[in-house]
Amino acid sequence: SYVLTQPPSVSVAPGKTARITCGGNNIGSKSVHWYQQKPGQAPVLVIYYDSDRPSGIPERFSGSNSGNTATLTISRVEAGDEADYYCQVWDSSSDHQSWVFGTGTKVTVL
Amino acid sequence: QLQLQESGPGLVKPSETLSLTCTVSGGSISSTTYYWGWVRQPPGKGLEWIGIIYYSGSTYYNPSLKSRVTISVDTSKNQFSLKLSSVTAADTAVYYCARGPDVDMNWFDPWGQGTLVTVSS
């Protein structure tokens, strides 16, 4: 089965840039979607199709995807960005369809 | 604005069947554009996809849960449901329903608020 690996944690000072990676075999050939989950809340889609932002998501959130790594970048980090972030792909490479989530990254704003 | 709401028992005994329903409001579950899905999250852990259903009844299930999972849809009530049989403590989790993926098999959005189901005697 397809595996997505994320760093368990990322720490960043307010106003700086946070980069969250999502590693997977040839992930650049897949569409990657990212979710933000604050404590006690449901996940919220923040990036789809590698780099598109849903309406209402600040431009500070951006994404990229190439090779074996996809990256979610949060610019000018704010305290309200502190949350868990998950990447997700659709995998049809095996004999079944699967929607795979990454292991998750906790972003801490210092 | 599309909204989803999970409902069902918060406590299930080991070996019994977990049953949850997701009620969709602000949109039709008979949409030809989207599937409807279930995702769970054990306490303190990550997200796990359970399965999805199309309004016609077509389903895809997580292979690791397939033998125990049934997802069904009731278009007359704008609801879809999850049944997970032979539960154990490892099935204790917050269960989310969500719209998605679309017919191109992409993301889940929006999500319900989630409901905690505890498996315990």
Side-chain angles (χ1 to χ4, degrees), chain A residues 3-67:
Chain A
V3 176
L4 294 174
T5 302
Q6 300 180 233
S9 63
V10 167
S11 298
V12 58
K16 299 300 185 181
T17 298
R19 294 180 179 84
I20 305 159
T21 58
C22 175
N25 184 35
N26 197 26
I27 195 174
S29 67
K30 302 179 182 299
S31 293
V32 180
H33 320 296
W34 290 90
Y35 302 86
Q36 176 193 68
Q37 185 180 34
K38 296 183 178 180
Q41 298 184 19
V44 172
L45 182 72
V46 293
I47 292 288
Y48 64 97
Y49 281 148
D50 298 341
S51 59
D52 290 344
R53 277 178 291 102
S55 60
I57 301 301
E59 293 183 6
R60 301 183 297 103
F61 288 82
S62 61
S64 63
N65 183 21
S66 179

Side-chain angles (χ1 to χ4, degrees), chain B:
Chain B
Q1 179 183 358
L2 188 75
Q3 293 185 316
L4 298 93
Q5 178 68 58
E6 305 88 351
S7 60
L11 181 64
V12 181
K13 290 182 168 55
S15 80
E16 295 189 345
T17 296
L18 177 160
S19 296
L20 296 174
T21 295
C22 182
T23 300
V24 178
S25 58
S28 174
I29 203 168
S30 298
S31 164
T32 57
T33 306
Y34 293 100
Y35 286 77
W36 304 86
W38 289 96
V39 177
R40 70 179 182 178
Q41 184 173 37
K45 296 189 178 181
L47 302 170
E48 179 181 34
W49 167 68
I50 298 172
I52 62 171
I53 190 165
Y54 197 53
Y55 78 97
S56 62
S58 175
T59 54
Y60 293 99
Y61 297 137
N62 187 323
S64 68
L65 299 170
K66 187 175 183 177
S67 63
R68 299 193 292 130
V69 172
T70 301
I71 297 176
S72 59
V73 63
D74 187 336
T75 55
S76 67
K77 295 182 178 178
N78 227 31
Q79 296 176 333
F80 61 107
S81 298
L82 168 70
K83 292 188 184 298
L84 181 65
S85 64
S86 305
V87 297
T88 69
D91 295 310
T92 293
V94 175
Y95 285 77
Y96 295 99
C97 61
R99 182 181 68 177
D102 63 2
V103 292
D104 290 327
M105 303 304 187
N106 286 295
W107 57 87
F108 296 89
D109 178 65
W111 298 52
Q113 66 183 25
T115 187
L116 174 62
V117 179
T118 301
V119 178
S120 175
S121 56

Side-chain angles (χ1 to χ4, degrees), chain A residues 62-74:
Chain A
S62 61
S64 63
N65 183 21
S66 179
N68 293 317
T69 305
T71 302
L72 173 69
T73 301
I74 311 173

